[in-house]
Structure formats: structure tokens, C-alpha cells
């Protein structure tokens, strides 16, 4: 059985290939080529365990993800995960993969597909709220879909924003990165807004009509008591 760590997954394919694969995955799911049962969701206090199977004729896979929000206070990733790939004809295990990196790439590809088809072609201003592993990859993938000139970012930590800016600029040195003091500033100035937080309260303004004519991608709310957007 083969093993693929975070570095191997990150180097497996360029961003456009990830986006094309995700787009095909949507088509295959809609046409019944693959079967994706509802994920198993288990809560223990503030922590969550997610079990996600997917069945195809050639392969089937199972992703196991743990979400521990308090890890952020310990300066550890909030999300850990593993993916097991099996032969669809025999069930033989073929590979185990780093689920955190794979989830980041896959989820960023989902957001990128949405931006590809829904965002204005002339959009050049991107805003990202929440700068963890998900927010970082969302930004990387989004900038491949449009000619982004300015990226506005917001997080609860100035240290996180500074670290994000330096890391992002290594990939896109020509894009101007602007830390924002509040979400209203970010949303008003951005044509594409991405939220990638674990918040239980809205992280974007409820007033001002800032969302009109804009593309908004929200990926953080995975439980009924979580929300990134107001009513």
C-alpha cells in the first residue's frame, strides 16, 4: 500500500488540474457514476469526527476527519484527517493519504469551480475572512480563476494575517495583500468574498447591501449551530 504525505499531495497536480477534477466529480455525482452517501457526523464536546465514504466502480475511498477548534489556541491545526483508497473490485487497500492537505485542495477546488462560473469576468478584488489552511488554499485557487490584483484579508490575529501575507506573496508576488480591520471594509471593497471560519456568529455585515452583484463562497459552517452569514 502506498502512502502520500502533505508534500506529495501538494505536488501531485497544478491548480487547474484540481479544479478540472472537481468539476468532473460534480458531473459524475449528478449522473450517478459515483455514490456519495451522507457523511457520518459525531460530536464530542466542541470537537467533531467526520466519516465520509465515496463509491465508484474502479475505486472507493473513505475520509476520516477530526475538527478540534480549540487546537488554534494550542497553535496546532484545527483539522486533521486521513483518506484510505481501496480497489473497487476487490476492496484491497491501495493508498493512504494525508487528509488535511487533500481536504484543503479539494475544498479550494470546489470554491474555484463556483468562482469560475459565477464571478464577474472583470473581478480583480478578492477578500478572504479566516486565514487557516482552508482560507489559504481558497485564496490560492481563487486567484487562478480571475485576474486578481488585490487580496484583502481578515482574521482575529494580526500575527496570523502577517504570516498569511508572507506565505501568499511567495506564490503571487504581484498581488497586493491588504489586511483589514473589519469585515465591512473587506466586503465593500471585494468583488469576490470567501469565508473560511469555524464561527458560530456571522462574520460578514448584515446591512449595507454589500453582497449585491458579488460572488460569495462560504465554506466554514459544517454544523447546524455554525453560521458565517446573517439572515
Amino acid at each position: 500500500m502506498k502512502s502520500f504525505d502533505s508534500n506529495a499531495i501538494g505536488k501531485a497536480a497544478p491548480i487547474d488540474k484540481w479544479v478540472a477534477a472537481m468539476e468532473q466529480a460534480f458531473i459524475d455525482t449528478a449522473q450517478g457514476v459515483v455514490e456519495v452517501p451522507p457523511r457520518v457526523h459525531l460530536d464530542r464536546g466542541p470537537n467533531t469526527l467526520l466519516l465520509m465514504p465515496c463509491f465508484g466502480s474502479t475505486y472507493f475511498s473513505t475520509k476520516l476527519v477530526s475538527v478540534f477548534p480549540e487546537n488554534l489556541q494550542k497553535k496546532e491545526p484545527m483539522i486533521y484527517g486521513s483518506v484510505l483508497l481501496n480497489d473497487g473490485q476487490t476492496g484491497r487497500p491501495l493508498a493512504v493519504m494525508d487528509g488535511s492537505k487533500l481536504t484543503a485542495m479539494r475544498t479550494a477546488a470546489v470554491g474555484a469551480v463556483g468562482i469560475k462560473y459565477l464571478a464577474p469576468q472583470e473581478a480583480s478584488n478578492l477578500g478572504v475572512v479566516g486565514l487557516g489552511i482552508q482560507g489559504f488554499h481558497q485564496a490560492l485557487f481563487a486567484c487562478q480563476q480571475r485576474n486578481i490584483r488585490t487580496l484583502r484579508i481578515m482574521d482575529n490575529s494580526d500575527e496570523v494575517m502577517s504570516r498569511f501575507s508572507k506565505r501568499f506573496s511567495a506564490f503571487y508576488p504581484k498581488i497586493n495583500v491588504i489586511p483589514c480591520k473589519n469585515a465591512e471594509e473587506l466586503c465593500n471593497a471585494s468583488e469576490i468574498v470567501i469565508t473560511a471560519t469555524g464561527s458560530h456568529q456571522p462574520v460578514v455585515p448584515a446591512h449595507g447591501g454589500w453582497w449585491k452583484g458579488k460572488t460569495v463562497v462560504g465554506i466554514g459552517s459544517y454544523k447546524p449551530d455554525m453560521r458565517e452569514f446573517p439572515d
Side-chain angles (χ1 to χ4, degrees):
M1 182 170 63
K2 296 182 178 180
S3 177
F4 297 92
D5 62 10
S6 176
N7 289 332
I9 292 171
K11 296 176 181 178
I15 287 176
D16 62 323
K17 297 294 185 181
W18 283 93
V19 176
M22 195 66 247
E23 191 169 343
Q24 186 61 49
F26 281 130
I27 295 172
D28 289 346
T29 302
Q31 295 179 346
V33 176
V34 295
E35 180 183 357
V36 185
R39 67 186 181 188
V40 178
H41 188 130
L42 302 173
D43 291 322
R44 187 177 178 87
N47 306 318
T48 302
L49 179 67
L50 302 172
L51 181 66
M52 292 162 275
C54 177
F55 298 93
S57 59
T58 306
Y59 306 104
F60 68 89
S61 65
T62 308
K63 181 164 72 170
L64 182 66
V65 174
S66 62
V67 185
F68 281 53
E70 294 178 0
N71 277 4
L72 297 177
Q73 301 170 14
K74 305 172 185 176
K75 295 187 177 181
E76 284 195 44
M78 184 173 72
I79 299 173
Y80 284 105
S82 299
V83 176
L84 180 64
L85 181 69
N86 296 74
D87 185 286
Q89 299 300 315
T90 66
R92 179 169 61 91
L94 300 175
V96 61
M97 295 167 275
D98 181 278
S100 299
K101 184 68 172 183
L102 191 60
T103 297
M105 303 291 277
R106 172 262 177 200
T107 309
V110 171
V113 171
I115 292 169
K116 175 182 177 180
Y117 287 102
L118 299 175
Q121 289 295 325
E122 67 279 6
S124 61
N125 294 284
L126 171 67
V128 178
V129 180
L131 306 179
I133 183 173
Q134 293 285 349
F136 180 75
H137 286 83
Q138 288 286 332
L140 291 184
F141 277 56
C143 289
Q144 289 279 317
Q145 307 309 308
R146 294 294 184 268
N147 184 24
I148 301 298
R149 296 187 177 90
T150 303
L151 169 63
R152 288 175 172 81
I153 58 174
M154 194 191 82
D155 196 273
N156 292 330
S157 167
D158 290 339
E159 179 184 351
V160 169
M161 287 196 288
S162 176
R163 188 166 60 245
F164 180 101
S165 298
K166 292 178 181 178
R167 187 181 176 196
F168 178 85
S169 294
F171 289 87
Y172 294 101
K174 294 183 179 181
I175 295 179
N176 185 27
V177 181
I178 302 176
C180 293
K181 296 180 180 179
N182 56 68
E184 187 169 4
E185 174 189 350
L186 181 147
C187 291
N188 285 334
S190 303
E191 294 147 307
I192 302 169
V193 175
I194 299 172
T195 59
T197 75
S199 180
H200 292 263
Q201 300 295 329
V203 297
V204 296
H207 57 275
W210 62 267
W211 54 84
K212 294 180 180 178
K214 301 187 180 185
T215 301
V216 182
V217 178
I219 68 162
S221 300
Y222 61 93
K223 294 196 293 185
D225 63 338
M226 300 175 72
R227 60 185 306 193
E228 295 184 302
F229 303 112
D231 293 334

